[in-house]
Amino acid sequence: MSTINSDEVARLAALARIDLAPDEITRLAGELDVIVQAVATVSEVAGDDVPATSHPIPLTNVLREDTVGQTLPVADVLAQAPAAEGGMFLVPQILGEEQ
């Protein structure tokens, strides 16, 4: 039984603002349907006695401890910047918002 059809793929593509050609919609409908059916098969196998996991092996933090080290003076860092103002880097405005 097919759960993903071309109309649903086209609707989702429009919501995500992705422009898909008709042949891409048809191809993706088939591929997504295979994925949905595979997930359904796994869901059938995993019973109530199987705990939900995100990883088969427990994860451990392999990062070093955060330690405060020697830092550069702000004036030295800002002296290397193309532009600075008020003790901060000055960058071009990109969002078009008012200050």
Side-chain angles (χ1 to χ4, degrees):
M1 176 179 154
S2 179
T3 57
I4 304 289
N5 59 34
S6 296
D7 292 337
E8 196 163 354
V9 172
R11 184 179 69 81
L12 290 172
L15 289 172
R17 300 183 192 277
I18 300 172
D19 188 23
L20 295 176
D23 60 320
E24 292 175 311
I25 292 173
T26 304
R27 181 179 51 83
L28 285 173
E31 290 176 3
L32 290 172
D33 192 52
V34 169
I35 293 170
V36 168
Q37 290 180 9
V39 170
T41 302
V42 170
S43 296
E44 290 173 5
V45 173
D48 294 335
D49 58 332
V50 178
T53 59
S54 61
H55 297 283
I57 301 171
L59 298 178
T60 57
N61 188 356
V62 295
L63 303 175
R64 64 172 170 75
E65 290 293 321
D66 287 338
T67 56
V68 178
Q70 189 69 12
T71 60
L72 296 172
V74 174
D76 291 351
V77 174
L78 292 177
Q80 301 297 315
E85 183 178 289
M88 295 179 279
F89 293 110
L90 186 62
V91 296
Q93 184 175 340
I94 60 170
L95 298 178
E97 298 175 349
E98 294 296 321
Q99 291 181 354

